[in-house]
Amino acid sequence: MGRPEKPLDYSGQRNVALLALASWLRERRQEAGLRYTELAERTQDGEHPCSVTTLQRAASGNTIPRLPVVEAYARACGASVTLARSYWSEARSRARRGPAVVPRPRLINTSAELRLALQAAYARAGYIPLREMERRARHGRLPTTTVSRMLKGETMLSRRQLLAFLDVCGVPEKEHDDWLDAWQRAWNAQFHRPTTRLAAVVHPGHHVVEYDRPAYASYNGRLGRGYVHQSRFSLGRAWEGAVDDTPLRRTPSSAVTASG
């Protein structure tokens, strides 16, 4: 079996989940009766071939290995890849602190609450690198820029992107309906009042437009404040309040006037 591995150092390592991962990997290799050279050979035909050094480092307990390396290690040993991912996710999540208080999907009503819950799901999944998330989602369903902006609170995921995000983060499928309901409530909450009530305050001849944030725009020589919503424009949406008679002043660059 070659030289024995150095024992894991439990004295200076504060991330016990990382040591648990390294110990689990070592046990799987020993059970399979493989040398590291044999282990490396078994990974060459897979999606992520690994060198002997890479595999040894993955089981050293010194640093958190990349997820594809952990998966390749487990496959080469004939071990559970799902269990390998759970050990890796725990090690990653222990290395960084996620949100302290997180609302359950059924209690989510706003986009801010939804983002907080998704950040927590992302933390439990081990803060998977965004490029790795995009690769796992496949077919361009989860662009890195979109996920990055969502985690920063700059945008919301679409329903399709939300499902891809939940899949990659390992959220059980039986919970997806609760998440989709939460997404719908958060989406609707971006308007201060229901659209039917907003429509009642629109004056005849005024154009209606949606924005991606609150802004002022000119309407018949006067200023009206509109609520910005996902940068989608529609004459079917109404202004949230009465039109102000304040003299017309220069509008922000974000304001866009709808035609019609």
Side-chain angles (χ1 to χ4, degrees):
M1 295 295 294
R3 292 185 303 172
E5 292 179 291
K6 293 181 179 180
L8 296 173
D9 182 10
Y10 287 86
S11 60
Q13 178 58 262
R14 292 194 296 177
N15 189 344
V16 294
L18 172 57
L19 296 177
L21 169 62
S23 178
W24 184 84
L25 291 174
R26 292 184 178 199
E27 290 171 1
R28 302 293 79 76
R29 184 180 69 85
Q30 291 168 3
E31 288 177 359
L34 297 171
R35 300 185 182 91
Y36 273 108
T37 52
E38 296 170 330
L39 196 65
E41 289 174 1
R42 289 194 176 194
T43 67
Q44 299 309 305
D45 295 332
E47 189 175 359
H48 292 281
C50 302
S51 67
V52 171
T53 302
T54 299
L55 296 170
Q56 288 176 328
R57 189 181 301 118
S60 67
N62 295 326
T63 59
I64 302 174
R66 294 188 304 115
L67 180 56
V69 174
V70 173
E71 292 175 336
Y73 195 119
R75 287 193 184 96
C77 293
S80 169
V81 175
T82 301
L83 191 54
R85 290 193 194 112
S86 67
Y87 274 101
W88 179 88
S89 297
E90 183 66 18
R92 287 271 296 188
S93 61
R94 290 289 186 91
R96 296 170 58 180
R97 289 187 177 181
V101 180
V102 181
R104 295 181 179 180
R106 291 186 180 183
L107 301 178
I108 291 172
N109 291 297
T110 68
S111 59
E113 292 170 346
L114 178 62
R115 181 179 70 255
L116 189 64
L118 290 174
Q119 287 173 340
Y122 180 59
R124 288 193 298 270
Y127 299 96
I128 302 173
L130 299 187
R131 290 190 180 277
E132 180 66 15
M133 292 190 75
E134 183 177 28
R135 186 188 70 81
R136 290 173 181 271
R138 301 183 183 279
H139 309 299
R141 293 192 304 161
L142 209 55
T144 57
T145 52
T146 301
V147 178
S148 176
R149 292 182 63 217
M150 182 277 291
L151 293 172
K152 294 176 183 177
E154 298 174 356
T155 190
M156 276 183 65
L157 300 179
S158 68
R159 288 175 65 93
R160 180 169 176 263
Q161 291 167 342
L162 174 65
L163 288 174
F165 185 91
L166 296 176
D167 285 338
V168 174
C169 289
V171 176
E173 188 173 351
K174 63 182 180 181
E175 299 178 11
H176 287 191
D177 285 344
D178 287 344
W179 283 95
L180 289 174
D181 290 343
W183 177 91
Q184 190 64 59
R185 291 192 298 272
W187 183 273
N188 294 339
Q190 292 182 95
F191 295 98
H192 292 302
R193 304 182 212 167
T195 303
T196 53
R197 293 179 58 193
L198 290 176
V201 303
V202 179
H203 296 277
H206 284 200
H207 304 300
V208 180
V209 65
E210 285 184 69
Y211 290 114
D212 61 352
R213 61 180 180 274
Y216 282 88
S218 62
Y219 283 83
N220 294 341
R222 293 181 295 178
L223 289 181
R225 186 166 69 89
Y227 192 75
V228 178
H229 177 66
Q230 291 297 315
S231 300
R232 299 188 178 207
F233 307 102
S234 168
L235 296 178
R237 300 295 186 188
W239 290 98
E240 66 180 41
V243 175
D244 189 0
D245 286 323
T246 306
L248 182 63
R249 60 179 183 269
R250 189 173 181 179
T251 59
S253 59
S254 62
V256 180
T257 304
S259 60

